[in-house]
Amino acid sequence: MIRATIALLIASVPVAASADLKVFACEPEWAALASELGHVHVETFSATTAMQDPHYIQARPSLIAKVRQADLVICSGAELEIGWLPALLQKANNPAVMPGNPGYMEASRYVLRLGATANVDRAQGDIHPQGNPHIQTNPHNIAAVARALGDRMGALDPSNAAAYDTGLADFLGRWELAIDGWEARAKPLRGARSITHHKSWVYLEQWLGIEEAANLEAIPGLPPTATHLGRLTSKFREGGADFIIRSPYQDARPSEWLSERVGVTAIVLPLTVGGTEHAKDLFSLFDDIIDRLLKAKNHG
Ligand SMILES: [Zn+2]
């Protein structure tokens, strides 16, 4: 009897510190976006940091526990997380966030995917068989995902749907203004030519009118080889590129090696929030990407 009374008391105590919607994001940009839209109503967690390659992480027990508690799992999709997310979802065994249910969302479904290849490349090791999954490098894609995410958050947590609507409208208002600013500042980058380590930047390049001249990886996912770097040295010795781009978690040696031989500036760009000291949120992420590109172009 006493035990039953205590159980009742515990059950009736409001859990003040707990957010209404627990969001598990595979990548930092989606955690940042959920926070922008949901503010105090959401608790976000990102499985990866900007210093990790989102293609390859371990399905650690701490991540399984986070998925088990989540109301919503949001990931880039397009097989970006195929090496670890299916195992996480299976081990967490949380029906609400299983693919096909409202608690599971693939951001890349809401944008036009670039670079879908024929299956023949997959056999050779291409890790982008469903099109390029690195969609967050174009802020218009972020806006498209924001609209879908705001709706989804409202559907999963109807008591706060009005707050999510307001959060979305407020975010989109500031975001569209910021995009205008970035596009104006980035005009000198139009027509620039890039060499990128991994094919991480195709959406950014399409947005800003940058031409991708080459990749250090001969096939997405295969590390740069001496043979391929040798070919690139011959190809770009007489010019033809403005910068060599890598992400913070990528090996610096191939881009520095090529940079020394062809005289093209090698730069690090933050691929997501937290990738550099300046990229603290989604807004400063794009501020920093454009700053770094302009600086490299002017020094070239
Ligand atoms: Zn990739």
Side-chain angles (χ1 to χ4, degrees), residues 53 55 80 127-128 132-134 198-200 220-221:
D53 184 341
H55 283 289
L80 176 62
I127 53 170
H128 297 160
N132 193 296
H134 306 290
H198 178 67
K199 235 173 164 46
S200 307

mmCIF file of all heavy atoms in Angstrom, residues 53 55 80 127-128 132-134 198-200 220-221, ligand 1:
data_model
loop_
_atom_site.group_PDB
_atom_site.id
_atom_site.type_symbol
_atom_site.label_atom_id
_atom_site.label_comp_id
_atom_site.label_asym_id
_atom_site.label_seq_id
_atom_site.Cartn_x
_atom_site.Cartn_y
_atom_site.Cartn_z
ATOM 1 N N ASP A 53 34.147 12.156 -39.737
ATOM 2 C CA ASP A 53 33.583 11.882 -41.053
ATOM 3 C C ASP A 53 32.236 11.195 -40.842
ATOM 4 O O ASP A 53 32.186 10.093 -40.296
ATOM 5 C CB ASP A 53 34.547 10.967 -41.823
ATOM 6 C CG ASP A 53 34.087 10.708 -43.246
ATOM 7 O OD1 ASP A 53 32.883 10.921 -43.542
ATOM 8 O OD2 ASP A 53 34.920 10.292 -44.067
ATOM 9 N N HIS A 55 30.420 9.611 -42.696
ATOM 10 C CA HIS A 55 30.296 8.298 -43.345
ATOM 11 C C HIS A 55 30.698 7.174 -42.397
ATOM 12 O O HIS A 55 30.234 6.055 -42.540
ATOM 13 C CB HIS A 55 31.219 8.211 -44.569
ATOM 14 C CG HIS A 55 30.714 8.929 -45.784
ATOM 15 N ND1 HIS A 55 29.644 8.485 -46.526
ATOM 16 C CD2 HIS A 55 31.165 10.051 -46.405
ATOM 17 C CE1 HIS A 55 29.455 9.299 -47.553
ATOM 18 N NE2 HIS A 55 30.355 10.268 -47.504
ATOM 19 N N LEU A 80 24.376 8.209 -46.462
ATOM 20 C CA LEU A 80 25.528 8.792 -45.766
ATOM 21 C C LEU A 80 25.869 7.980 -44.510
ATOM 22 O O LEU A 80 27.032 7.735 -44.208
ATOM 23 C CB LEU A 80 25.241 10.251 -45.377
ATOM 24 C CG LEU A 80 26.331 10.964 -44.561
ATOM 25 C CD1 LEU A 80 27.640 11.043 -45.348
ATOM 26 C CD2 LEU A 80 25.881 12.367 -44.160
ATOM 27 N N ILE A 127 30.881 5.807 -52.582
ATOM 28 C CA ILE A 127 29.986 5.752 -51.422
ATOM 29 C C ILE A 127 28.825 6.738 -51.531
ATOM 30 O O ILE A 127 28.151 7.011 -50.560
ATOM 31 C CB ILE A 127 30.755 5.952 -50.092
ATOM 32 C CG1 ILE A 127 31.597 7.216 -50.133
ATOM 33 C CG2 ILE A 127 31.598 4.730 -49.782
ATOM 34 C CD1 ILE A 127 32.171 7.583 -48.781
ATOM 35 N N HIS A 128 28.573 7.263 -52.731
ATOM 36 C CA HIS A 128 27.409 8.137 -52.955
ATOM 37 C C HIS A 128 26.467 7.544 -54.011
ATOM 38 O O HIS A 128 26.062 8.248 -54.930
ATOM 39 C CB HIS A 128 27.863 9.530 -53.432
ATOM 40 C CG HIS A 128 28.696 10.278 -52.451
ATOM 41 N ND1 HIS A 128 29.511 11.326 -52.820
ATOM 42 C CD2 HIS A 128 28.836 10.153 -51.114
ATOM 43 C CE1 HIS A 128 30.124 11.802 -51.750
ATOM 44 N NE2 HIS A 128 29.741 11.109 -50.704
ATOM 45 N N ASN A 132 24.544 12.623 -54.063
ATOM 46 C CA ASN A 132 25.436 13.180 -53.050
ATOM 47 C C ASN A 132 24.664 13.528 -51.771
ATOM 48 O O ASN A 132 23.684 14.273 -51.822
ATOM 49 C CB ASN A 132 26.119 14.428 -53.621
ATOM 50 C CG ASN A 132 27.276 14.876 -52.774
ATOM 51 O OD1 ASN A 132 27.084 15.266 -51.627
ATOM 52 N ND2 ASN A 132 28.478 14.811 -53.322
ATOM 53 N N PRO A 133 25.081 12.994 -50.610
ATOM 54 C CA PRO A 133 24.335 13.228 -49.370
ATOM 55 C C PRO A 133 24.736 14.501 -48.616
ATOM 56 O O PRO A 133 24.099 14.838 -47.622
ATOM 57 C CB PRO A 133 24.694 11.996 -48.532
ATOM 58 C CG PRO A 133 26.095 11.665 -48.942
ATOM 59 C CD PRO A 133 26.214 12.064 -50.405
ATOM 60 N N HIS A 134 25.775 15.198 -49.084
ATOM 61 C CA HIS A 134 26.290 16.343 -48.312
ATOM 62 C C HIS A 134 25.514 17.615 -48.675
ATOM 63 O O HIS A 134 26.071 18.602 -49.164
ATOM 64 C CB HIS A 134 27.794 16.502 -48.563
ATOM 65 C CG HIS A 134 28.560 15.240 -48.303
ATOM 66 N ND1 HIS A 134 28.738 14.745 -47.022
ATOM 67 C CD2 HIS A 134 29.143 14.344 -49.142
ATOM 68 C CE1 HIS A 134 29.425 13.615 -47.093
ATOM 69 N NE2 HIS A 134 29.682 13.338 -48.363
ATOM 70 N N HIS A 198 37.208 15.306 -50.848
ATOM 71 C CA HIS A 198 36.073 14.397 -51.037
ATOM 72 C C HIS A 198 35.003 15.207 -51.780
ATOM 73 O O HIS A 198 35.050 16.419 -51.789
ATOM 74 C CB HIS A 198 35.582 13.957 -49.648
ATOM 75 C CG HIS A 198 34.391 13.049 -49.658
ATOM 76 N ND1 HIS A 198 34.431 11.773 -50.147
ATOM 77 C CD2 HIS A 198 33.123 13.243 -49.214
ATOM 78 C CE1 HIS A 198 33.234 11.212 -49.999
ATOM 79 N NE2 HIS A 198 32.424 12.089 -49.439
ATOM 80 N N LYS A 199 34.044 14.524 -52.367
ATOM 81 C CA LYS A 199 32.978 15.238 -53.077
ATOM 82 C C LYS A 199 31.956 15.761 -52.057
ATOM 83 O O LYS A 199 30.794 15.375 -52.074
ATOM 84 C CB LYS A 199 32.317 14.289 -54.079
ATOM 85 C CG LYS A 199 32.313 14.846 -55.497
ATOM 86 C CD LYS A 199 31.819 13.833 -56.499
ATOM 87 C CE LYS A 199 31.444 14.487 -57.816
ATOM 88 N NZ LYS A 199 32.372 15.456 -58.359
ATOM 89 N N SER A 200 32.427 16.648 -51.171
ATOM 90 C CA SER A 200 31.578 17.158 -50.084
ATOM 91 C C SER A 200 30.910 18.472 -50.431
ATOM 92 O O SER A 200 30.080 18.954 -49.669
ATOM 93 C CB SER A 200 32.422 17.401 -48.822
ATOM 94 O OG SER A 200 33.161 16.279 -48.466
ATOM 95 N N PRO A 220 34.588 8.754 -54.885
ATOM 96 C CA PRO A 220 34.192 9.152 -53.533
ATOM 97 C C PRO A 220 34.315 8.006 -52.530
ATOM 98 O O PRO A 220 33.748 6.944 -52.727
ATOM 99 C CB PRO A 220 32.726 9.571 -53.708
ATOM 100 C CG PRO A 220 32.642 10.028 -55.129
ATOM 101 C CD PRO A 220 33.593 9.130 -55.898
ATOM 102 N N GLY A 221 35.095 8.226 -51.486
ATOM 103 C CA GLY A 221 35.242 7.213 -50.446
ATOM 104 C C GLY A 221 36.573 6.475 -50.497
ATOM 105 O O GLY A 221 36.975 5.866 -49.520
HETATM 106 ZN ZN ZN B 1 30.521 11.655 -48.993
#
